[in-house]
Amino acid sequence: MTVPLRPRRSALYMPGSNARALEKARTLDVDCLLLDLEDAVAPDAKDLARKQIVEAVTAGGYGDREVVIRINGLDTPWGETDLQAAVTAAPDAILVPKVNSPADLQRIAHTLSLHNAPESLKLWAMMETPEAMLNAGAIGACGKDPEVRLSCFVMGTNDLAKETRARLLPGRAAMMPWLMTCVAAARLGGIDILDGVYNAFQDEVGFAAECAQGADMGMDGKTLIHPKQIAACHGAFSPSAEEIEWARKINAAFDLPENASKGAIQVDGKMVERLHAEMGKRVIAIANAVAARTANDNERQS
Ligand code: COA
Ligand code: MG
């Protein structure tokens, strides 16, 4: 595998109005930071939050962490100003709330190119409206159009529950069709997808179960609301030692000269196809990327 993978196991939201959280983020072992101007910020704190986020991102010091600014929708009084401010701050990505259709992303991408924003500035899309669930395939397909810059889906399960009136219960049975549709849509576009938040951040058992469920569903990681959720989240979304060993074993088996022209072989009593070896290569690439991140963190702390 040649494409370097960026682990997106964890993405911690923090209100832009909370200066302490923005500062604390520089020391947290988290893959992505979602600096919020939208739902977590009250209307009368929007200007302060915008100013604080621009200052914090411009000052930097976030290391390997992917820095993402969530703006308000362009149909709100703050959206346009947020977008301009985000371009000035130059984070890794802008998270667009309440995306309903490809046009919502194309419009913002167009503004970015008018401002000569570097190609490295990506768009992430909140998937959280009934329209988005019904247009998921078309939105995901934007991942294939470099002009749209789409790089990641973020499930907004709280908004989705509000808009659809579906209940967010343990096991998430009512949400499952939408979550899996969005996983398929993300893969169609070749982008990542992050699971929704778990509101009861004191409930470690329930949180661990939901992380495991998200990993089983194919989510790349989970959005978080509190630093205490990070470690368990990484546990669920990092490849396990067994998965890494199995991935290495099946790739080594296919590399043997006697298997050079075979499509399916037997390893430890299981049928293994070349597609499994490909999946294994991805596991190894993610494990390597996680190990590189951890090594960098250790270096900084020593
Ligand atoms: N990011 C960074 N730091 C955070 C944090 C976050 N999301 N949530 C809490 N912290 C910090 C606090 O600042 C505090 O730091 P300190 O002890 O060094 O001062 C520490 O973690 C403990 O916080 P705690 O007292 O347990 O929580 P709280 O009552 O201050 O905050 C929430 C609880 C839910 C309000 C807060 O976690 C939060 O705002 N989460 C994000 C909400 C959000 O962005 N939602 C939008 C998307 S769903
Ligand atoms: Mg929301």
Side-chain angles (χ1 to χ4, degrees):
M1 176 147 319
T2 48
V3 184
L5 280 174
R6 197 156 190 183
R8 287 176 176 152
R9 299 164 297 170
S10 57
L12 176 63
Y13 282 104
M14 55 199 67
S17 47
N18 184 342
R20 170 115 189 95
L22 295 176
E23 179 59 36
K24 211 177 165 81
R26 294 193 171 90
T27 60
L28 294 171
D29 172 27
V30 66
D31 290 340
C32 314
L33 301 167
L34 305 179
L35 313 183
D36 195 17
L37 290 167
E38 201 221 10
D39 284 344
V41 179
D44 62 5
K46 297 284 188 194
D47 291 342
L48 170 71
R50 192 185 305 111
K51 180 172 172 286
Q52 289 188 165
I53 286 181
V54 170
E55 282 171 9
V57 175
T58 309
Y62 292 102
D64 290 340
R65 298 167 194 81
E66 204 164 0
V67 177
V68 181
I69 299 178
R70 182 163 78 169
I71 62 172
N72 287 282
L74 293 191
D75 55 349
T76 70
W78 314 284
E80 293 287 354
T81 318
D82 288 352
L83 183 56
Q84 308 281 341
V87 172
T88 310
D92 294 299
I94 294 172
L95 176 54
V96 184
K98 301 178 178 75
V99 171
N100 286 324
S101 67
D104 290 341
L105 293 173
Q106 286 155 350
R107 184 171 160 204
I108 293 185
H110 182 66
T111 305
L112 293 184
S113 57
L114 286 181
H115 284 85
N116 295 316
E119 274 174 38
S120 57
L121 176 58
K122 301 297 180 194
L123 289 184
W124 290 20
M126 290 299 305
M127 297 293 279
E128 56 185 349
T129 67
E131 291 90 330
M133 297 307 109
L134 299 172
N135 293 331
I139 302 170
C142 290
K144 292 191 273 197
D145 179 353
E147 283 184 17
V148 185
R149 303 163 182 249
L150 181 63
S151 155
C152 196
F153 273 173
V154 178
M155 295 311 303
T157 39
N158 281 328
D159 269 285
L160 203 47
K162 172 176 173 261
E163 295 301 320
T164 61
R165 300 181 202 148
R167 293 196 176 123
L168 264 177
L169 297 172
R172 297 191 291 179
M175 287 276 152
M176 204 50 84
W178 298 318
L179 295 171
M180 287 312 304
T181 297
C182 288
V183 169
R187 300 306 168 228
L188 166 73
I191 62 170
D192 283 342
I193 175 166
L194 307 183
D195 203 353
V197 300
Y198 190 76
N199 297 326
F201 62 86
Q202 307 287 6
D203 171 9
E204 290 172 18
V205 174
F207 178 65
E210 203 172 280
C211 285
Q213 184 195 41
D216 285 347
M217 288 158 62
M219 297 284 174
D220 297 287
K222 190 167 178 66
T223 46
L224 310 177
I225 47 173
H226 195 284
K228 70 192 293 177
Q229 296 181 315
I230 299 170
C233 180
H234 284 184
F237 288 99
S238 306
S240 68
E242 294 76 34
E243 284 172 309
I244 297 166
E245 193 194 329
W246 176 247
R248 291 205 175 114
K249 195 168 194 173
I250 60 180
N251 273 285
F254 272 114
D255 286 344
L256 293 173
E258 62 262 38
N259 292 331
S261 56
K262 289 188 186 157
I265 57 174
Q266 187 197 141
V267 179
D268 292 353
K270 293 193 192 104
M271 186 274 283
V272 179
E273 294 176 299
R274 286 192 180 269
L275 69 93
H276 297 110
E278 286 307 311
M279 289 161 70
K281 281 187 179 149
R282 190 181 153 77
V283 168
I284 293 167
I286 292 176
N288 288 343
V290 167
R293 281 219 43 171
T294 312
N296 282 348
D297 278 352
N298 291 343
E299 211 168 277
R300 261 197 303 278
Q301 277 158 22
S302 64

